[in-house]
Structures are given as structure tokens and as C-alpha cells.
């Protein structure tokens, strides 16, 4: 029993740390990470992956400004490092997600090239995250954001104290940018290829990650997409197939992907407000089991708002949402329980 509780605590801690890590080191806060987007090379970098003079000057100024802010205490830093070390000790794959990409890239790449599907999945995700980080975490942008945060904070002691979190986040974002900038840009364009390899090998989570990545890349530069329309069409067909499989398997993440697709993002599916609301209601039903509100939500139906749908369409969305839940999720144990 104690052993079970220990592993349960570890998994909860890993989930919490992963959430913190993606928010502060990997996932750009301005948008969801995705592969295949156009990089801001002209503004941020020069040839051979070296920072352009303007970018380097901005980075120097940013580091100086960050050093003037309240810093994380040595005790808090040591505690975080200790937790990271313990998680890597317990789970050998955790290092592929937690360590900076420049420290771990060679290891992940080698494992992926030798057929490790977990490595292929991690490589695809992290390449996509770097693509977005190089766009969103450019030193010029971070410096402008820091100026804005300082202006909003004002000069009161309480507000100035809150700048520690801001400084820690922006410092982590700059570190992520620097780590990603060490990689050849051509490697980052392989994100979808590695996710596809992992998905075809049925690595857990890879297929729906591929769907999400396709939606995000399809929201990128239109001219670039048109230039490679045949590849995009083939990828879209595969993404649709894997999305349906995720739904059939009762994976609740598939509901998020359907909602996003039917909301009109990326062109994976035609925009359809009624379908979007049906899948939102199904997702709400799945989630409501976690807080013992399922019976009330089932009885009341979805919250009807806006004027895009008629009363009849809302009725249809409610009926379809219940059908989706009963068909794919009712018999599935809720994974959060």
C-alpha cells in the first residue's frame, strides 16, 4: 500500500511539474506549440544559426534587466533541482521531456533513429515546441514584454515582489530560445515526420499529438501551405483517420481536437458550430464525472448561449453530445479518478 501511494504521489508530482515546465520552459504562452510554422529567421538569427547583432544586443540588455529583478531563492532552486533529479531517477524517459533540448537532443535523436517510438514522439513534440519558441521567445519580444510587465506592476512593494515570477518565467523562456537556437532549423521541420513515425508505431499519445500539430501548422503561412498542398492533403487525411480512432478508443483528448477542428481552426474539418457545441457538451459530460456533477449536467443539457444556433439546433447538439458520451465514454473509466 505504501509503495502504491509512493508511486501515485510521484505521478501527481510529475504531472504538476510537467505542467509548470511546459508553461515556463517549453510552451510559448502566446500560442499553442506546433511544428511546421514559419520561423522568424530574418529578425532573430543570421546565417549558420548565429544570432544577428540586433538579437544579441537585445539578449544582453534582457539579461541585465532580469538580473535587477527579485530572484528565486537558492533554497527554492535547490528544491526544484532535487525534484527533477528524483523524477529522472524514477523514470528514465522523463529526462527527454524535462532537460533543455540542447543537453538532450543527441540522446533523443539517436534513440529515435534506432527505432525507439517514445523517443520519436518526444523528438516530434520538442521540435515543434522549438519552432514556436524561436518565434515567440526572440529576445526582442521578451524584452518588450518585460518592459510592459514592469510598467503594469508599478512601484509598490507588493507589485515589485510579484516580478520575481515574471522574471523567472522570462528567464526560462530566454533559456529555451537559446537552447532551441543551437539546433539546425531544418531539423525542426521534421516534427511532423517523427510524430507520424511514432503514431504509426502506436506510441501512446502520438496520434492525437499529430492531429494537434497538423491543425497548428495548417494555421500558418498560407503561401507556404499552398506550395506543398499535396503533402498537406495527405497529412490531413491521416490526421482525420487518427482523430476518429482516438474518439473510438474513448480518449477524452479527442474531444478537445474535435472542438478545435469544428471551431474552424486549421481546416481539418469544415467549421460547424452545432458540431462544435455537441462535442463541447460531450466533453463537459466526461469531465463532470470527476466532480460529481454528471447527473445535473445530463438533466439540464448544455448551456445555450449566442445567437448562431436555433433552438432546434441546440436540441440536436444536446442529443448528439449525449450520444457521443454514451457510445464512446460511458463505459470507460475516467482517467482522472
Amino acid at each position: 500500500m505504501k509503495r502504491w501511494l509512493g508511486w501515485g504521489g510521484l505521478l501527481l508530482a510529475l504531472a504538476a511539474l510537467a505542467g509548470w515546465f511546459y508553461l515556463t520552459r517549453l510552451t510559448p504562452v502566446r500560442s499553442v506549440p506546433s511544428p511546421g510554422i514559419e520561423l522568424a529567421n530574418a529578425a532573430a538569427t543570421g546565417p549558420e544559426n548565429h544570432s544577428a547583432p540586433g538579437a544579441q544586443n537585445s539578449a544582453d540588455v534582457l539579461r541585465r534587466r532580469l538580473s535587477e529583478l527579485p530572484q528565486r531563492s537558492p533554497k527554492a532552486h535547490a528544491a526544484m533541482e532535487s525534484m527533477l533529479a528524483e523524477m529522472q531517477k524514477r523514470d528514465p524517459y522523463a529526462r527527454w521531456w524535462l532537460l533543455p533540448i540542447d543537453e538532450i537532443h543527441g540522446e533523443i535523436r539517436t534513440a529515435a533513429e534506432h527505432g525507439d517510438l517514445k523517443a520519436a514522439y518526444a523528438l516530434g513534440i520538442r521540435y515543434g515546441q522549438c519552432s514556436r519558441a524561436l518565434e515567440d521567445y526572440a529576445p526582442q519580444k521578451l524584452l518588450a514584454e518585460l518592459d510592459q510587465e514592469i510598467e503594469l506592476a508599478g512601484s509598490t512593494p507588493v507589485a515589485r515582489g510579484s516580478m520575481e515570477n515574471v522574471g523567472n518565467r522570462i528567464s526560462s523562456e530566454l533559456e529555451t530560445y537559446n537552447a532551441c537556437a543551437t539546433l539546425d532549423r531544418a531539423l525542426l521541420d521534421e516534427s511532423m515526420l517523427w510524430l507520424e513515425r511514432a503514431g504509426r508505431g502506436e506510441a501512446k499519445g502520438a496520434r492525437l499529438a499529430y492531429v494537434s500539430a497538423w491543425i497548428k501548422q495548417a494555421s500558418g503561412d498560407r503561401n507556404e501551405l499552398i506550395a506543398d498542398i499535396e503533402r498537406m492533403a495527405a497529412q490531413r487525411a491521416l490526421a482525420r483517420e487518427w482523430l476518429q480512432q482516438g474518439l473510438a478508443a474513448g480518449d477524452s483528448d479527442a474531444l478537445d481536437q474535435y472542438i478545435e477542428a469544428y471551431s474552424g481552426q486549421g481546416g481539418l474539418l469544415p467549421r460547424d458550430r452545432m458540431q462544435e457545441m455537441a462535442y463541447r457538451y460531450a466533453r463537459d459530460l466526461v469531465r463532470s464525472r470527476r466532480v460529481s456533477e454528471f447527473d445535473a449536467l445530463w438533466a439540464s443539457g448544455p448551456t445555450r448561449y449566442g445567437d448562431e444556433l436555433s433552438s432546434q439546433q441546440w436540441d440536436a447538439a444536446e442529443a448528439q453530445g449525449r450520444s457521443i458520451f454514451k457510445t464512446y465514454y460511458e463505459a470507460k473509466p475516467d482517467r482522472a479518478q
Side-chain angles (χ1 to χ4, degrees), residues 252 285-293 334-337:
S252 60
L285 288 171
V286 171
R287 291 178 175 178
S288 68
R289 295 189 297 182
R290 304 171 189 174
V291 290
S292 303
E293 295 179 355
D334 185 77
R335 65 183 185 185
Q337 292 179 338

Side-chain angles (χ1 to χ4, degrees), residues 99-267:
L99 293 181
I101 188 65
D102 57 338
E103 295 181 17
I104 203 69
H105 175 255
E107 180 181 328
I108 306 176
R109 180 88 186 190
T110 299
E113 289 175 343
H114 283 80
D116 190 316
L117 296 177
K118 290 184 178 180
Y121 177 33
L123 196 63
I125 291 293
R126 299 207 65 175
Y127 278 169
Q129 290 167 340
C130 272
S131 292
R132 184 67 71 176
L134 289 175
E135 179 178 290
D136 285 354
Y137 291 170
Q140 300 97 318
K141 292 185 178 182
L142 295 180
L143 183 57
E145 182 180 348
L146 179 60
D147 287 339
Q148 184 179 36
E149 292 282 3
I150 291 175
E151 182 179 356
L152 291 174
S155 58
T156 65
V158 174
R160 288 292 296 174
S162 70
M163 288 302 297
E164 178 182 335
N165 292 332
V166 173
N168 289 335
R169 175 177 60 79
I170 293 180
S171 294
S172 293
E173 291 170 350
L174 180 61
E175 290 175 8
T176 298
Y177 174 89
N178 290 334
C180 290
T182 65
L183 302 184
D184 190 319
R185 303 303 174 89
L187 293 177
L188 306 185
D189 293 335
E190 298 177 1
S191 174
M192 292 293 292
L193 296 177
W194 287 108
L195 285 177
E196 180 176 346
R197 180 180 296 188
R200 291 191 183 281
E202 299 186 2
K204 185 177 180 180
R207 292 189 172 186
L208 288 182
Y210 181 92
V211 175
S212 179
W214 191 91
I215 291 175
K216 300 312 172 193
Q217 79 163 4
S219 301
D221 183 82
R222 181 174 177 82
N223 292 331
E224 183 178 325
L225 299 177
I226 292 175
D228 204 2
I229 194 168
E230 291 185 1
R231 178 180 63 86
M232 290 295 295
Q235 289 180 344
R236 179 175 63 180
L238 182 60
R240 286 178 171 178
E241 176 187 341
W242 283 354
L243 180 56
Q244 176 58 40
Q245 289 177 5
L247 182 69
D251 191 328
S252 60
D253 289 339
L255 296 173
D256 295 324
Q257 303 295 349
Y258 269 109
I259 292 167
E260 186 173 10
Y262 278 125
S263 70
Q265 299 187 43

